[in-house]
Amino acid sequence: MAAMTPTPAPNARNAPDAPDAADARAAGAGAVPAPAAQPRAARRPRPRVWRGAVLALAGAYFLLPVLASFVFTVHVPGQGISFEAYTQLLSADGFTRSLLLSLGLAAATIALTLLLAVPALVAVRIGSPRLRPVVEVMCMMPLVVPPIALVTGITTVLRWGPDHLSRTPLYQTFLAVQNPDFPFVLVLAYTVLALPFVYRSLDAGLRAVDVPTLVEAARSCGASWPYVVLRVLLPNLRAALAGAAFLTLALVLGEFTIASLLGFQPFAVWIVSISGAHARMSVAVSVLSLLITWLLLLLLSRAGTAPATASPGSTRRPRISRTSRTSRISGKES
Amino acid sequence: MSASSTTPLSKGTAGGTTRRRRRGPRTWLAALPLLAFTGLCFGIPLGAIAFGAVTRTDPVSGATRLTGEHLARSLQGPYLGSLVGSVQLSALTALVGGVLGVLVAQAVVTSRSQALRGATLTASGVLANFGGVPLAFAFIATVGISGVVTQLADLTGLGWNLYSFTGLTVVYLYFLTPLMVLVIVPALDGLRPQWREAAQNNGAGGWQFWRYVGLPVLAPSLLGGFVLLFGTAFAAHATAAALVGGSVPLVTLKIADALSGNVLTGQENVALALGLDMIVIAGLVMAVYLPLQRRSARWLR
């Protein structure tokens, strides 16, 4: 602790109303940001002004672009209000195709990521604890590689196809994964990008469940191993699975870097491609995708803060891990 | 696969449904698909980056030899300028975003309103995710050349330009500040009221409390948050690409240019070398961040 200068005259200005709330706060429940009230010695009313100013400025900065974007899409200078930018969306060239492609990629990525991660994490929990650091490092490594750097590697590997492998059966595979109708190579790349978030989500979920006890209880009641995993463990991970799926969906829908540099056109790339000719429409799509993403993430944070998924003792840790996990999405894709 | 395995695990069975008669011996098989996948789809591209960055293949003879020229070129001239530009932008946005994030977080933590706190944390979680293309267009519609606010307030006359270093800074803060709020709120919560009371009882003023108690406790979290923001801004590409498209020298934009052949042919190896530079910097960032995160967890019990 710090070296504080004791003064001879004891400064007996205790906080007037401070019960031992902090201990209760330290053991607050799960991801619910609900610590007990923290009475602080309110010495001067000045902090009030300061706090209000900070929050007002922050609110203005964060709300302004959203509101202004909406105004931009509906107000045509010289014509007044028109909702054309939104009504013409569905008939816009490429809108449905790119959106469906993005959704398809997202579905495939979610399926692949979960199929890879769930067995591995459950296995690490119930039988092979020594593998744990290996699995963790393998899942977390993609955080260190920016997507743009990963793309340079992927393009290099894909160029090996025509250069070196044209006489081998592998070449057909290389062509197949780059089919523009459904570029499976993107699914592979997105799965790599999504693994860290999925790993953290599932790891937090598994940590909140007493896996050994559940497994032993189920086994001693005569349940088979598949039954234990499918009917006992997975239902307990429902929130974590939903969280992982949501995050992956948000990541894939917003992903621009890898898709554009590999020459495919899912949703985000399409938005950029029309921005020159239809500025208003590109902003309209941005506003919509923003609102939809917000809605999804709000649902996710609601799901994540359900008291059922919180366990005492896991204070704030899930909150931290989940927030840093979600935050990485913006990092990967901004 | 072990030869004694009577029930070989078919790859990709859901939920790790390996049939085992007893616990333990073959569970590792369920982790195998994941390890194989990351080895293939992540390891090979990574190896290709490293290999391509330090070798040169003669197009005529097909001979490959080691060379340092790509890495050397990636650290010269416009490439070096883009690396420096990226580091400058990331450091500036991480610093400003960090300070603003701490101010907002402190305002929320010291307020007694639970509703405000919940709303701020939820909004931060959402906003920290809002990067990429839509963010760029939202800002173009707001303070771009024909943006709503630009027209109303005549910002252009005041010398405002969104498509510049300053403009990018303002845009990046939109997702970096909420990220800092998320990182730092738990740490600010960890400052126990008792510590402040103890400091006051010993006669410390507000400044002394922060100087000797508050900041030392918060230091790892603050530094860790800064490093995380730096890494996030450094790796960002989509926002900058949709916004400035190359008028601001950033390493991510340079790599994209080199890859799409906008500069010269034969730049792929320099792109790989730049990618390697980025991975090294991002790796250093993570190497700083993880220990700091562990250290800051000490006070959050």
Side-chain angles (χ1 to χ4, degrees):
Chain A
M1 278 311 256
M4 279 176 289
T5 46
T7 47
N11 182 348
R13 211 182 53 201
N14 281 334
D17 52 353
D20 286 339
D23 297 328
R25 202 160 51 81
V32 187
Q38 317 164 34
R40 288 177 183 268
R43 291 187 304 273
R44 298 176 301 274
R46 203 171 56 95
R48 290 253 162 127
V49 179
W50 160 88
R51 192 186 306 146
V54 167
L55 290 173
L57 280 174
Y61 170 66
F62 286 109
L63 283 177
L64 186 67
V66 184
L67 295 175
S69 301
F70 182 70
V71 171
F72 182 87
T73 55
V74 297
H75 175 73
V76 184
Q79 290 178 28
I81 303 294
S82 115
F83 284 90
E84 268 190 2
Y86 294 91
T87 51
Q88 288 179 351
L89 253 188
L90 284 175
S91 58
D93 182 35
F95 171 78
T96 1
R97 190 170 37 83
S98 62
L99 185 59
L100 285 177
L101 175 60
S102 270
L103 290 173
L105 289 171
T109 309
I110 291 169
L112 182 59
T113 322
L114 292 182
L115 279 180
L116 289 169
V118 172
L121 278 163
V122 170
V124 164
R125 284 271 160 191
I126 59 179
S128 317
R130 273 174 309 163
L131 267 183
R132 199 171 167 172
V134 181
V135 171
E136 183 169 17
V137 166
M138 285 296 238
C139 286
M140 286 302 168
M141 274 283 283
L143 283 184
V144 180
V145 179
I148 187 102
L150 186 64
V151 174
T152 59
I154 292 175
T155 45
T156 311
V157 173
L158 289 180
R159 220 176 297 119
W160 291 347
D163 287 355
H164 306 295
L165 307 171
S166 48
R167 295 210 184 87
T168 59
L170 260 181
Y171 185 52
Q172 294 305 320
T173 317
F174 269 64
L175 287 184
V177 295
Q178 294 182 75
N179 176 2
D181 293 336
F182 191 80
F184 198 74
V185 65
L186 285 185
V187 174
L188 299 177
Y190 293 165
T191 303
V192 169
L193 289 190
L195 269 179
F197 317 125
V198 171
Y199 174 86
R200 279 194 193 149
S201 180
L202 292 175
D203 194 50
L206 279 164
R207 210 178 295 140
V209 180
D210 190 355
V211 176
T213 309
L214 276 180
V215 170
E216 274 164 31
R219 291 289 289 160
S220 50
C221 291
S224 63
W225 273 110
Y227 191 94
V228 168
V229 173
L230 292 174
R231 306 295 302 277
V232 178
L233 284 181
L234 287 187
N236 271 301
L237 291 177
R238 209 173 289 146
L241 290 171
F246 267 133
L247 288 170
T248 311
L249 180 70
L251 182 140
V252 176
L253 282 183
E255 211 287 329
F256 168 81
T257 302
I258 294 183
S260 77
L261 285 172
L262 291 181
F264 302 111
Q265 205 182 51
F267 198 50
V269 182
W270 176 79
I271 297 178
V272 175
S273 72
I274 61 158
S275 64
H278 310 278
R280 217 171 296 285
M281 195 184 283
S282 67
V283 175
V285 178
S286 297
V287 172
L288 282 179
S289 70
L290 166 67
L291 292 177
I292 291 167
T293 314
W294 280 5
L295 211 64
L296 282 180
L297 289 163
L298 281 177
L299 285 172
L300 167 62
S301 60
R302 286 275 172 281
T305 53
T309 62
S311 68
S314 62
T315 48
R316 286 196 208 100
R317 179 95 48 98
R319 160 63 78 181
I320 297 173
S321 66
R322 199 181 68 235
T323 51
S324 55
R325 177 162 40 81
T326 51
S327 65
R328 298 294 315 182
I329 283 194
S330 67
K332 286 287 174 203
E333 209 24 64
S334 26
Chain B
M1 293 278 166
S2 60
S4 64
S5 159
T6 47
T7 52
L9 169 70
S10 56
K11 276 199 180 186
T13 39
T17 51
T18 46
R19 273 203 296 282
R20 279 154 317 191
R21 271 181 303 277
R22 62 190 185 285
R23 183 173 170 173
R26 283 195 300 279
T27 40
W28 60 270
L29 287 179
L32 209 59
L34 178 76
L35 300 180
F37 172 86
T38 43
L40 271 176
C41 294
F42 184 62
I44 291 181
L46 214 57
I49 294 172
F51 181 76
V54 298
T55 58
R56 181 183 189 84
T57 305
D58 196 304
V60 184
S61 64
T64 304
R65 56 184 177 78
L66 274 178
T67 172
E69 65 180 299
H70 306 306
L71 282 169
R73 272 183 68 187
S74 77
L75 296 174
Q76 291 166 5
Y79 296 114
L80 180 66
S82 72
L83 270 171
V84 171
S86 271
V87 169
Q88 279 176 336
L89 180 70
S90 308
L92 178 67
T93 49
L95 194 68
V96 177
V99 171
L100 294 178
V102 170
L103 284 176
V104 173
Q106 179 68 4
V108 171
V109 168
T110 55
S111 91
R112 293 204 184 100
S113 157
Q114 285 307 314
L116 174 72
R117 187 194 163 100
T120 309
L121 284 175
T122 308
S124 298
V126 169
L127 287 168
N129 275 295
F130 180 45
V133 175
L135 177 65
F137 285 123
F139 266 89
I140 288 173
T142 308
V143 287
I145 286 180
S146 56
V148 174
V149 177
T150 319
Q151 301 292 337
L152 283 176
D154 189 29
L155 290 177
T156 319
L158 302 171
W160 164 257
N161 176 14
L162 175 66
Y163 314 99
S164 66
F165 190 88
T166 321
L168 264 187
T169 309
V170 172
V171 177
Y172 274 29
L173 289 177
Y174 200 85
F175 59 85
L176 290 177
T177 309
L179 181 52
M180 188 68 178
V181 172
L182 293 176
V183 173
I184 210 73
V185 157
L188 289 172
D189 279 341
L191 285 180
R192 315 262 161 89
Q194 291 96 318
W195 296 347
R196 185 181 274 275
E197 288 154 25
Q200 281 174 348
N201 291 344
N202 287 328
W207 184 85
Q208 277 174 309
F209 166 76
W210 284 112
R211 164 75 182 75
Y212 292 111
V213 183
L215 282 179
V217 168
L218 286 182
S221 306
L222 290 173
L223 203 54
F226 170 81
V227 168
L228 183 70
L229 264 59
F230 179 92
T232 304
F234 188 72
H237 165 253
T239 309
L243 200 61
V244 298
S247 56
V248 177
L250 294 177
V251 66
T252 47
L253 301 177
K254 271 276 182 292
I255 293 179
D257 273 349
L259 272 186
S260 37
N262 291 350
V263 197
L264 297 162
T265 49
Q267 295 288 302
E268 294 92 355
N269 287 96
V270 180
L272 292 174
L274 279 172
L276 194 61
D277 295 338
M278 277 192 88
I279 293 173
V280 168
I281 293 177
L284 286 175
V285 163
M286 274 290 151
V288 174
Y289 173 67
L290 292 175
L292 281 172
Q293 202 189 21
R294 265 195 289 277
R295 204 190 144 90
S296 65
R298 258 199 332 199
W299 299 108
L300 303 184
R301 273 183 231 116

